[in-house]
Amino acid sequence: MLFRKRTREMLLVAFFLTPALLVFFVYRIVPLLWNLALSFAFWSPGGSYEFAGLEHYTEMFVYDDVFRTSFVNTLIYMASMPLAIVVALFVALLVNARIRGRNVYRTIVFLSYPMMPVAVGIIWQWLYNEKVGLINYVLQSAGVIDTPIAFLNSTALALPSVIVVGMWQILGFFMIILLTGLQSIPQSLYEAAAIDGAGPTKSFFRITLPLLRPSLFLCFVIGVISSFTSFDLVYVMTEGGPAHATELLITYIYKTAFGLSEFDYAGALTVVMFTLFLSITLILNRFSGGEAGKVDGAN
Amino acid sequence: MQRVPRWSIHLALVVICFFMLIPFYWVLKTSVAGENIFAYPPSLVPKDPHPFYFIDVWYDIPFARFFLNSVVVVTIVIVLNLVFNAMAGYALTRDFAGKKAILFVLLSCMMIPFQATIIPAYLITAKMGLLNTYLGLALPEVSHIICILVFKANFEAVPKSLVEAARIDGVPEWKIVYKIMLPLSKPAIATNIVFSFVWTWNHFLWPLIIISDQDMQTLPLGLSYFLSYFEDTTGALYAFCVMVLAPTVFVFLMVQRQFIQGLTSGSTKG
């Protein structure tokens, strides 16, 4: 009797879990292993697999300049995220104050986050336009610059320009995460600190920042993810150009696989990208006390 | 924060909001501009606004078809997500052998970004004969691990006594989920819908890879093709952007609270 009950329970659980697990098996686990296999093979669509050893990896690390550029660009993208987090923290502190209309402010700052990146990229490309773009117009009218700047066609400025858009879009998300963190800090701590004679600056650095650490790390992890996944913005705004100045690992992988049909090499690139991503997230996870890695990377 | 005068907080926030909103204003302005959009200096407000660019979009490209494709894919993804995630979430509230292993697998899968799977995912989809199909577009997204965990947490908050009572009365398991658990899990359902909607509606890379047939293009794909054919030479491009963003803005403003909670609960509570 007991046995039958347990068997039925197992069957039920298995039945309920199967669809979801199947999806993850087919679209997460199998691809991961397949990439690994591709990275050690010579293979093109329709052909057969031949063992390649470390050939692709040697090519990548020794000869491939574009790989190096896209690798560095991805790291630059990632390293600029703390700037967005600082701004978001500032905004979060502001909208956490007891002021009228704070919900309206929150809504407006968050609004850009769920918008379609392809459309966002097109809009910003228009703002950056060399001849009639709003940004050049304002800078020229204010006398900051004399001649218009071709933001997205300049090898020096293209990457920062794209990163600014990425920050603009993700700022509201960071703000909400930090706001949630701020609201979970007990008010009594601030009262106690005030009684002990601590000023606002002191209580910010002694109470707010330390207690906000998990939220700050979570933001950074999300920033890291976005540096590995910001395909849409780059593709629409610059296509990785000029001269690969905005090439990220993900755009390079896409081009290699679906532009050049070099699936095997693109597989090796993916393995490197994934390894880098995983190491960074795991290190961050260590630092933050284990909570920060729990973010779905599918965005 | 107390010593800072209120007006300065308002001032700072108004400036920030200005920067957050100006791109939206600018695209809206361009999309209804009556003047030459390449005239310098650009006019800050549209002169004799007209809706012609929107009409262009409607007639020059199969906008309705793109819209329909997006809606169909999003619908499939939302429905399957609700079903699969609720099922898996419920299973994970039970005790069974190997539960820890399953949770470990799920949490590990969360560390695999979709972007790191595109090449094999494409090859698998091709092998299944699902290139250029709605199902092919939807399949990789029909279950999200975060949403499973949100369901699990929500189900665990349902009083055990309620479930026990139903079980003693001989109510079958699927009915317990459907009649007792789900009605008590509205926040989790909202999270699932918002998540699925935003991700699938905006998703560009996957359709770009597996769709080559113009009739099957979703909105982001249609928008990027429009960009590559016409570049930025016509105001219709910006009208197209507005038409694509409008549904998200609309849904966002309608169910703001659920929206923000939905998008953040996954990452902060998951």
Side-chain angles (χ1 to χ4, degrees):
Chain A
M1 195 59 197
L2 186 73
F3 175 75
R4 257 194 62 195
K5 205 182 152 210
R6 284 193 55 185
T7 319
R8 275 188 53 184
E9 173 90 10
M10 278 309 283
L11 274 176
L12 179 91
V13 165
F15 172 72
F16 273 27
L17 277 174
T18 303
L21 286 180
L22 205 62
V23 172
F24 301 131
F25 182 71
V26 173
Y27 282 104
R28 294 286 151 107
I29 295 170
V30 170
L32 201 63
L33 301 174
W34 199 331
N35 268 326
L36 203 60
L38 272 173
S39 76
F40 294 110
F42 292 117
W43 182 79
S44 55
S48 61
Y49 287 83
E50 268 171 58
F51 185 64
L54 291 172
E55 196 91 348
H56 295 311
Y57 292 98
T58 321
E59 154 109 36
M60 197 186 311
F61 285 106
V62 181
Y63 302 106
D64 191 345
D65 290 338
V66 181
F67 164 71
R68 214 166 304 144
T69 313
S70 56
F71 191 95
V72 172
N73 285 347
T74 304
L75 292 182
I76 293 176
Y77 198 117
M78 189 187 308
S80 50
M81 278 301 142
L83 187 62
I85 298 175
V86 171
V87 177
L89 177 58
F90 179 66
V91 180
L93 287 169
L94 292 178
V95 295
N96 196 33
R98 279 193 216 89
I99 51 167
R100 196 177 290 180
R102 61 181 182 177
N103 282 327
V104 178
Y105 292 127
R106 288 175 194 175
T107 303
I108 292 175
V109 176
F110 189 78
L111 185 66
S112 61
Y113 178 67
M115 295 303 143
M116 184 186 294
V118 173
V120 168
I122 291 174
I123 296 171
W124 276 85
Q125 191 189 31
W126 182 231
L127 290 168
Y128 279 131
N129 187 293
E130 188 185 352
K131 295 191 188 78
V132 292
L134 181 66
I135 296 172
N136 267 313
Y137 171 64
V138 170
L139 290 180
Q140 275 177 290
S141 312
V144 181
I145 52 171
D146 295 326
T147 47
I149 301 172
F151 287 98
L152 298 175
N153 285 325
S154 132
T155 43
L157 288 174
L159 186 63
S161 306
V162 172
I163 292 176
V164 164
V165 183
M167 288 178 170
W168 176 82
Q169 180 148 37
I170 209 166
L171 184 74
F173 194 41
F174 286 165
M175 175 202 69
I176 293 288
I177 291 172
L178 294 172
L179 190 60
T180 316
L182 282 175
Q183 285 166 347
S184 70
I185 301 175
Q187 207 55 41
S188 56
L189 287 179
Y190 292 107
E191 285 154 18
I195 291 169
D196 290 346
T201 324
K202 200 164 188 185
S203 47
F204 175 76
F205 283 106
R206 291 291 172 81
I207 301 172
T208 312
L209 268 191
L211 288 176
L212 216 50
R213 206 175 70 154
S215 309
L216 290 167
F217 269 105
L218 179 63
C219 286
F220 190 58
V221 170
I222 291 168
V224 170
I225 293 175
S226 82
S227 64
F228 283 92
T229 56
S230 289
F231 174 84
D232 310 7
L233 281 182
V234 172
Y235 184 88
V236 169
M237 294 177 73
T238 63
E239 289 188 77
H244 300 291
T246 54
E247 202 77 79
L248 299 179
L249 284 170
I250 179 63
T251 56
Y252 187 45
I253 289 171
Y254 170 80
K255 285 180 184 172
T256 311
F258 300 100
L260 305 172
S261 286
E262 290 175 10
F263 286 84
D264 43 3
Y265 190 53
L269 288 169
T270 307
V271 170
V272 171
M273 177 178 88
F274 181 64
T275 312
L276 179 68
F277 170 75
L278 205 61
S279 352
I280 293 172
T281 340
L282 290 180
I283 291 169
L284 284 175
N285 214 18
R286 261 290 149 72
F287 272 116
S288 71
E291 281 299 312
K294 297 180 176 177
V295 184
D296 200 333
N299 190 2
Chain B
M1 223 67 251
Q2 293 307 321
R3 313 227 173 125
V4 186
R6 297 239 161 120
W7 65 263
S8 64
I9 298 179
H10 279 290
L11 183 70
L13 282 171
V14 166
V15 171
I16 290 160
C17 288
F18 176 78
F19 281 109
M20 296 311 287
L21 287 178
I22 197 78
F24 292 109
Y25 168 73
W26 202 245
V27 69
L28 206 59
K29 177 238 143 194
T30 312
S31 72
V32 296
E35 75 276 10
N36 174 8
I37 59 169
F38 286 97
Y40 189 89
S43 58
L44 296 180
V45 287
K47 288 170 194 151
D48 359 289
H50 63 68
F52 297 148
Y53 288 138
F54 289 89
I55 296 167
D56 280 353
V57 171
W58 192 262
Y59 286 106
D60 287 355
I61 50 171
F63 180 85
R65 177 73 205 205
F66 295 163
F67 189 84
L68 177 81
N69 291 341
S70 273
V71 168
V72 170
V73 176
V74 167
T75 311
I76 297 175
V77 169
I78 288 178
V79 170
L80 289 185
N81 257 290
L82 282 175
V83 176
F84 291 174
N85 297 344
M87 283 166 70
Y90 180 67
L92 290 174
T93 60
R94 313 289 291 258
D95 287 316
F96 57 91
K99 180 175 170 178
K100 277 209 170 125
I102 299 251
L103 274 172
F104 178 76
V105 169
L106 287 179
L107 289 174
S108 314
C109 278
M110 257 164 92
M111 304 294 291
I112 309 173
F114 174 76
Q115 283 76 359
T117 66
I118 50 173
I119 298 159
Y122 165 77
L123 297 171
I124 291 168
T125 310
K127 210 150 244 173
M128 292 194 288
L130 292 175
L131 297 181
N132 284 312
T133 60
Y134 291 133
L135 199 59
L137 280 172
L139 266 188
E141 310 199 58
V142 292
S143 182
H144 288 302
I145 297 156
I146 279 178
C147 295
I148 294 180
L149 297 176
V150 169
F151 261 125
K152 173 176 179 273
N154 222 306
F155 288 158
E156 272 165 355
V158 173
K160 281 246 180 333
S161 54
L162 216 59
V163 182
E164 289 302 324
R167 210 164 281 156
I168 289 167
D169 287 346
V171 180
E173 290 295 329
W174 65 268
K175 224 171 176 177
I176 292 179
V177 179
Y178 184 67
K179 292 270 183 185
I180 299 172
M181 296 292 209
L182 280 184
L184 291 170
S185 309
K186 293 215 173 87
I189 294 173
T191 300
N192 263 267
I193 294 176
V194 168
F195 239 74
S196 314
F197 168 73
V198 171
W199 284 5
T200 310
W201 185 263
N202 292 346
H203 213 167
F204 174 59
L205 181 56
W206 184 236
L208 181 68
I209 292 169
I210 72 158
I211 299 298
S212 52
D213 181 355
Q214 209 206 8
D215 279 345
M216 292 304 293
Q217 287 181 3
T218 54
L219 284 171
L221 202 53
L223 189 53
S224 96
Y225 273 97
F226 193 90
L227 176 71
S228 56
Y229 286 139
F230 297 89
E231 300 200 325
D232 51 2
T233 52
T234 159
L237 178 64
Y238 307 102
F240 198 164
C241 284
V242 171
M243 289 161 87
V244 163
L245 293 180
T248 315
V249 176
F250 179 74
V251 177
F252 175 64
L253 293 179
M254 290 293 290
V255 286
Q256 225 186 98
R257 230 189 42 169
Q258 289 84 340
F259 212 91
I260 296 180
Q261 269 173 5
L263 284 178
T264 47
S265 68
S267 49
T268 51
K269 286 177 211 144

